[in-house]
Amino acid sequence: MQLPPSLQRALERVIATQPAATLEQTATALSNRYREASTGSTPVITSPLEAIAYAAWRMPATYAALRAVFKRLAEAQPNFAPTRMLDVGAGSGAAIWAAAEQWPSLRRIVAIERQPAMARLAEQLAAGADLPPITWQRSDVLALDRLPESDLVVAGYVYGEIEPAVRILLLSRLWKGTNGALVMVEPGTPAGYATMLSIRSELIKRDAKILAPCPHTGECPLAARNDWCHFGQRIARPAFQRRLKGAAAPFEDEKFAYLIAARRGVPPANGRIVRHPVTRSGRIELQVCTAQGLQHITITRSQGDAWRRARDSAWGDGWQNEHLSQAIGDSEAE
């Protein structure tokens, strides 16, 4: 995966306005502040320099995670064609760019961002780009009386950063404003996973349809194993980011946890591959989350279609009914 060329050029233009050494020092300081921050005390970005440094450091990875999740939503609901989007805690606008790439049907976007420096940068990056019209609201989402009803509601890397005492209030408002699908994304850490579990539980109480990653609404089988559900997306590092991070690798892997809930619909598969498939001589081993628990499945060449599908599958893909039942039966027979 790569950044859209127009976004990369826009980032390069704003980065070029800042001295390289100062930008690197600011990005490093911001990264340290975020790591050290406690829940609900997200560091405030107050200057254009800090906003640019943060976007240069984090925007490619954030875009990659959101783009990957939007692809999962499109797979779950192929006919989903949102026209209205709400982006809460929009930051530099990564979710907007990712959604516009996925759904040309978008006609109106409302973006809420409480940090003015970040909102100004997002507007600067979007200026002249082929994006739907964006209305920016520079406000704390919890200070708003109501949220606009939208086909697609997104909260990326936001929910876990607010005070636990007001999270349910925010989730209630987000869900109330969701006419189609609600997308929540958090870091792919044990803490991010725990946040997703709490969101999942609350949404199930509200009769939400969980489309992904969960193929069921039962207990998460990873919780009992002291493990956590997360996924990854690789993205090419632009040259400016390699310089900023002093990184030799031309790519980075963003780990994330996510949840997609909708007013209607069902999961497109009854299983989800929750780890990288392991390919060995003549067989492929999958770890699949199902309503029956975590299944360790072995697919052999003799299984024909199931083999071909396993060969083409990746971490995070769904695993369809007929293949799952066949594979479980074969693995139990072994």
Side-chain angles (χ1 to χ4, degrees):
M1 184 182 291
Q2 295 181 323
L3 286 177
S6 55
L7 174 56
Q8 182 163 327
R9 290 192 295 269
L11 280 167
E12 289 169 346
R13 284 196 297 270
V14 297
I15 287 167
T17 65
Q18 305 296 328
T22 303
L23 193 66
E24 181 178 344
Q25 292 169 0
T26 304
T28 301
L30 276 174
S31 178
N32 291 336
R33 280 162 54 189
Y34 269 84
R35 280 198 299 268
E36 295 166 1
S38 59
T39 299
S41 59
T42 305
V44 176
I45 293 175
T46 58
S47 69
L49 172 61
E50 288 184 332
I52 292 170
Y54 181 82
W57 188 279
R58 279 293 300 162
M59 195 171 184
T62 303
Y63 168 86
L66 288 158
R67 186 75 175 88
V69 174
F70 292 155
K71 285 182 178 179
R72 296 297 182 205
L73 173 51
E75 291 168 2
Q77 292 194 332
N79 296 323
F80 183 57
T83 60
R84 301 166 300 168
M85 173 182 174
L86 172 65
D87 186 11
V88 175
S92 57
I96 294 170
W97 287 84
E101 283 278 306
Q102 184 65 56
W103 292 291
S105 58
L106 283 171
R107 295 291 178 266
R108 178 179 65 82
I109 297 173
V110 175
I112 300 174
E113 173 52 52
R114 67 184 178 88
Q115 303 199 61
M118 291 299 296
R120 285 193 295 269
L121 174 62
E123 288 185 285
Q124 189 176 353
L125 293 174
D130 186 20
L131 294 172
I134 306 168
T135 300
W136 283 89
Q137 296 186 10
R138 293 173 174 82
S139 174
D140 187 323
V141 64
L142 291 171
L144 299 174
D145 291 334
R146 63 186 297 273
L147 300 177
E149 186 174 290
S150 304
D151 307 314
L152 174 65
V153 177
V154 182
Y157 297 90
V158 173
Y159 195 78
E161 293 184 351
I162 66 173
E163 292 287 350
V166 294
R167 289 181 183 177
I168 302 302
L169 172 61
L170 174 58
L171 184 61
S172 296
R173 290 184 177 180
L174 293 176
W175 182 240
K176 185 177 181 180
T178 300
N179 185 53
L182 170 63
V183 173
M184 309 285 286
V185 181
E186 290 292 321
T189 61
Y193 164 65
T195 298
M196 281 300 153
L197 280 185
S198 65
I199 293 171
R200 180 178 184 268
S201 176
E202 288 297 328
L203 288 175
I204 290 172
K205 292 177 186 177
R206 290 163 170 75
D207 200 32
K209 312 304 180 186
I210 306 300
L211 299 185
C214 310
H216 58 82
T217 56
E219 294 294 325
C220 176
L222 289 171
R225 298 165 57 91
N226 198 30
D227 200 350
W228 71 97
C229 183
H230 67 290
F231 303 90
Q233 177 61 53
R234 177 163 292 186
I235 186 166
R237 278 183 173 137
F240 67 77
Q241 195 181 54
R242 294 200 299 273
R243 292 193 301 269
L244 189 67
K245 293 189 173 185
F251 60 83
E252 66 177 302
D253 294 314
E254 174 68 0
K255 302 297 194 301
F256 59 92
Y258 78 97
L259 192 75
I260 301 172
R263 291 290 179 182
R264 59 195 68 85
V266 296
N270 79 329
R272 177 78 57 184
I273 300 172
V274 294
R275 291 292 181 270
H276 284 297
V278 177
T279 302
R280 305 187 189 278
S281 178
R283 70 182 193 274
I284 300 172
E285 298 173 4
L286 304 176
Q287 190 171 171
V288 182
C289 177
T290 77
Q292 292 73 42
L294 204 61
Q295 302 286 347
H296 298 272
I297 300 169
T298 298
I299 311 292
T300 63
R301 288 183 184 274
S302 64
Q303 290 174 250
D305 181 59
W307 165 265
R308 287 186 289 273
R309 187 166 185 273
R311 183 188 57 196
D312 296 335
S313 293
W315 179 20
D317 286 351
W319 192 253
Q320 299 295 341
N321 265 328
E322 64 273 17
H323 299 131
L324 180 58
S325 58
Q326 176 190 359
I328 291 175
D330 290 344
S331 64
E332 288 173 348
E334 293 177 358

